[in-house]
Amino acid sequence: MKNLLVTGGAGFIGSAFVRHMVSAYPQYRIVVFDKLTYAGNMDNLLPIKEADNYVFVQGDIASRDDVRGALQAYDIDTIINFAAESHVDRSILDPDAFMRTNSHGVFVLLDEGRQHGIGRFLQVSTDEVYGDVEEGFSKEDDRFLPNSPYSASKAGGELMVRAFHITHGMDTVITRGSNTFGPYQYPEKLLPFFTTEAMDDRPLPVYGDGMQVRDWLYVDDHAKAVDFVLHHGQSGEAYNVGGENLLHNIDITRRILALLGKPETLIKHVPDREGHDRRYAMDCSKLKALGWKRKWEFEQALAHTVQWYKKNDWWWRKIKTGEYLEYYKRQYAARLAAAD
Ligand code: NAD
Ligand code: DAU
């Protein structure tokens, strides 16, 4: 590996991966390739903007011209694909971009990568491809039962990765991450949304009874797991990357409020997300058997994250304007009006 194309590198997890890789591997050139959608943010890359082994290219993974141009210009030998439409609620309101980027875009990256003769292709995927797991823990060979347009589009992308490995012998690996939290996360996802809303004494719209279960993983551990699989994963394989830290939504909401010293009266139970998966839980023994270990304890990571949003309102206040407010209205106005 010499020249790495990191697609979606201006987003939440992609930028954490880039910040890590730029300092951990000075011998690699890290080319960030990002369309800069509403979720892409150059502020996420400010800490490494002076690094001499990092370059930024604006482009769309679903555009053959954009992808081919970057592969050729930087003699790319490795692709790590974080680029995606990533928010489940938006996939219910506006699904088109999800199919275009998460399914077709992955195909374009694979096909252009194959024609260019790249080595390893790493696809960043999600535990949501397994669908609702009422009990037990998903293993990598379990069948896909995605329930939202987001998770179905991610499953489609993954299946194309598998097809290119089997049909064309491409060197591919897949990571399936669980609910990730940390600094620089767009404030539409539960943790940064509730933290920043509570800081301003605004209502926290908990979907349904709040008894849904998610497995919370700190972003630096997720980013380092992608690095680990990139270097140690076996070709053609997928690896679950979980926090092994299952919590009900209502519990994580209460913990955020406690860390901020805010009252639980801010919690509003609102009508549920359509098709809402009740529980995700993964068995991570395959990745651990390869030697991967998480570094962060959940309590420490949560406190650090809440503190980061408190200290860095310059980062999120300017996001919560314009298109964000339009989205907030579409997603929450009627729900909050119908709150218990
Ligand atoms: P994000 O929404 O913060 O960032 C996505 C990035 O992709 C943005 O920078 C955006 O501009 C870019 N992008 C979108 N469409 C693009 C396109 N067509 N071409 C090029 N760039 C494009 O997402 P995230 O939370 O950092 O998630 C990154 C990846 O990890 C996604 O593939 C997601 O499915 C996966 N994942 C996320 C989580 C989580 O909890 N956030 C958990 C497991 C897996
Ligand atoms: O599991 C991995 C997935 O985690 C990733 O693949 C996705 O990209 C990522 O967005 C995340 O999906 P979720 O739907 O689980 O994340 P979100 O933060 O949107 O919601 C977490 C839980 O909180 C979920 O059960 C829905 C609930 N929720 C969320 C919001 C935004 C609420 O109750 N109210 C809210 O306003």
Side-chain angles (χ1 to χ4, degrees):
M1 290 179 209
K2 285 195 311 278
N3 296 314
L4 281 60
L5 192 75
V6 184
T7 59
F12 165 50
I13 310 171
S15 68
F17 176 78
V18 170
R19 294 191 302 271
H20 159 68
M21 294 295 282
V22 159
S23 59
Y25 300 96
Q27 71 276 28
Y28 294 168
R29 176 161 60 178
I30 311 292
V31 181
V32 173
F33 179 95
D34 198 294
K35 187 177 176 182
L36 295 180
T37 65
Y38 77 95
N41 187 345
M42 293 305 284
D43 285 349
N44 301 357
L45 295 167
L46 280 178
I48 49 126
K49 80 174 193 326
E50 306 296 342
D52 52 18
N53 60 338
Y54 149 76
V55 186
F56 180 83
V57 178
Q58 185 165 6
D60 180 349
I61 64 163
S63 155
R64 282 189 181 273
D65 287 348
D66 287 1
V67 171
R68 193 178 305 141
L71 293 176
Q72 289 174 356
Y74 295 100
D75 193 17
I76 296 296
D77 49 59
T78 308
I79 297 178
I80 301 102
N81 180 34
F82 288 90
E85 289 294 334
S86 66
H87 193 37
V88 173
D89 288 323
R90 289 188 191 249
S91 82
I92 298 167
L93 294 173
D94 292 313
D96 291 59
F98 287 75
M99 277 308 289
R100 184 173 187 279
T101 293
N102 302 359
S103 294
H104 187 68
V106 177
F107 158 71
V108 170
L109 270 183
L110 285 162
D111 202 39
E112 288 296 328
R114 180 181 67 86
Q115 289 179 44
H116 182 72
I118 63 154
R120 181 148 276 202
F121 183 103
L122 187 147
Q123 169 67 5
V124 178
S125 189
T126 168
D127 59 2
E128 299 203 11
V129 295
Y130 297 118
D132 206 358
V133 188
E134 274 179 35
E135 54 189 34
F137 297 87
S138 306
K139 295 195 81 142
E140 285 81 353
D141 290 336
D142 287 358
R143 66 185 174 147
F144 286 1
L145 285 172
N147 290 318
S148 71
Y150 163 72
S151 52
S153 67
K154 289 292 290 186
E158 266 210 47
L159 291 175
M160 196 56 80
V161 173
R162 175 189 156 86
F164 271 66
H165 173 72
I166 290 174
T167 303
H168 298 297
M170 265 180 92
D171 175 9
T172 64
V173 277
I174 294 171
T175 56
R176 296 191 188 126
S178 67
N179 275 68
T180 305
F181 68 98
Y184 301 104
Q185 185 170 27
Y186 193 87
E188 65 189 350
K189 308 283 164 58
L190 184 145
L191 199 137
F193 177 46
F194 283 7
T195 303
T196 56
E197 292 290 276
M199 279 169 60
D200 286 348
D201 301 303
R202 290 166 53 80
L204 309 188
V206 169
Y207 296 152
D209 61 5
M211 292 303 285
Q212 304 84 1
V213 173
R214 295 292 183 269
D215 177 9
W216 295 92
L217 170 68
Y218 188 59
V219 65
D220 287 3
D221 282 330
H222 192 159
K224 284 183 184 158
V226 172
D227 170 7
F228 186 85
V229 170
L230 182 66
H231 289 96
H232 304 288
Q234 206 183 315
S235 191
E237 295 295 314
Y239 297 90
N240 290 343
V241 183
E244 296 183 298
N245 180 50
L246 303 182
L247 276 179
H248 291 115
N249 290 343
I250 194 70
D251 292 333
I252 194 161
T253 306
R254 290 193 177 118
R255 284 174 200 233
I256 294 168
L257 289 169
L259 283 165
L260 290 169
K262 296 287 182 181
E264 291 192 6
T265 49
L266 289 178
I267 295 174
K268 302 291 169 212
H269 288 273
V270 301
D272 211 346
R273 171 186 279 175
E274 298 84 348
H276 199 173
D277 286 332
R278 212 55 196 163
R279 179 175 178 270
Y280 301 133
M282 290 188 295
D283 179 327
C284 301
S285 52
K286 183 173 172 183
L287 185 58
K288 289 198 286 192
L290 216 57
W292 178 71
K293 272 202 201 90
R294 270 185 319 278
K295 181 171 159 257
W296 285 76
E297 287 304 322
F298 174 72
E299 298 295 343
Q300 172 204 21
L302 184 68
H304 176 76
T305 301
V306 169
Q307 196 56 26
W308 189 88
Y309 287 97
K310 267 176 94 170
K311 279 202 191 139
N312 291 281
D313 72 336
W314 68 272
W315 182 84
W316 57 265
R317 282 205 190 275
K318 60 185 175 192
I319 294 175
K320 287 185 151 191
T321 54
E323 188 276 344
Y324 179 92
L325 295 179
E326 286 303 309
Y327 166 73
Y328 179 91
K329 213 159 96 192
R330 282 176 79 196
Q331 182 62 23
Y332 295 109
R335 278 194 160 87
L336 282 167
D340 292 344

